Amino acid sequence: MRKAFVLAVASAAVVGIAVGLLLHNEFGSSRALARPALPSLYGQATWRSGEVPAPPFQLRDQHGRTVRLTALRGRTVVLAFMDSLCTSECPIEAAQFAAALRALPGSAKPRLVVVSVDLADTPASVARAARKWHLPAGFEWLLGTHAQLAPVWRAYSIAVRPTKSGDVEHSDAFYVIDRNGDERAGFLSPFIPGLLTRDLRRLATT
């Protein structure tokens, strides 16, 4: 099932969110056959606890602090991949994160961790984007060189392609990681904020 999501995520960087419809068809087979009609989680892809450990990484955030994914265990994590200089999809995704997380009580709020997909991202550009896009407080935006970021992109099957115009095309996908460090849901953006809210509520109590 993760393989199907990986392929869809790579395609999404080229053909857009229409891939989300294909995901629902793809997940109608394989292990998905054993699922009830109403899924326990609402990502376009979902995995059982312990099925897909989230690949570990270590990067510095916009404040220069080291962030280790393994150190975030004990709290749900939303792991996204964005470009602070983007003027199209990323602002929409950020607004949807804000809506989804705003509806949660403090005990259920996840750590929002963003991995940069643009080497031109800086602490200043991240701060401007956060203000303009109304990103939820407490987010961490991880920066680095290509050598530091590319292994994380590959580990999470995020396709990143700079264009001649200076823009960056990338997969519009993000992951929900549970308190044990396992991937539990994969979403493609744009998404329905209420479904992410529901998944985060459920994972905060399991």
Side-chain angles (χ1 to χ4, degrees):
M1 285 171 55
R2 190 176 194 277
K3 181 178 180 181
F5 184 64
V6 163
L7 292 174
V9 165
S11 299
V14 180
V15 302
I17 194 59
V19 174
L21 298 175
L22 298 178
L23 281 169
H24 289 293
N25 294 331
E26 183 70 21
F27 297 147
S29 59
S30 177
R31 286 179 226 143
L33 288 173
R35 293 187 185 162
L38 292 176
S40 59
L41 296 174
Y42 280 95
Q44 279 99 342
T46 61
W47 304 281
R48 293 185 294 270
S49 177
E51 186 175 8
V52 183
F57 59 79
Q58 174 180 310
L59 292 168
R60 289 191 179 275
D61 70 8
Q62 73 271 31
H63 305 295
R65 299 176 298 214
T66 298
V67 175
R68 298 178 181 85
L69 184 63
T70 53
L72 302 182
R73 290 185 182 176
R75 189 169 173 184
T76 308
V77 173
V78 172
L79 180 64
F81 298 82
M82 294 197 288
D83 170 9
S84 69
L85 304 176
C86 175
T87 59
S88 53
E89 288 85 2
C90 292
I92 296 171
E93 185 174 9
Q96 292 174 322
F97 284 140
L101 272 57
R102 188 167 52 242
L104 291 166
S107 60
K109 287 189 185 296
R111 294 282 287 270
L112 175 59
V113 178
V114 179
V115 176
S116 174
V117 294
D118 189 344
L119 301 182
D121 279 353
T122 65
S125 69
V126 168
R128 285 194 298 272
R131 289 192 300 270
K132 188 174 182 179
W133 302 349
H134 305 291
L135 272 175
F139 73 92
E140 293 156 303
W141 194 298
L142 310 186
L143 307 169
T145 64
H146 185 273
Q148 293 168 328
L149 293 170
V152 184
W153 301 337
R154 288 194 296 270
Y156 287 90
S157 304
I158 300 298
V160 178
R161 185 178 68 181
T163 67
K164 292 181 180 180
S165 66
D167 292 332
V168 178
E169 294 180 347
H170 62 94
S171 308
D172 293 321
F174 67 91
Y175 295 85
V176 178
I177 300 169
D178 70 14
R179 294 181 294 177
N180 297 317
D182 295 324
E183 294 176 24
R184 299 299 303 279
F187 286 80
L188 293 178
S189 182
F191 61 96
I192 300 173
L195 297 184
L196 176 59
T197 300
R198 183 193 179 282
D199 283 1
L200 292 171
R201 283 183 185 276
R202 182 176 181 84
L203 290 174
T205 59
T206 58

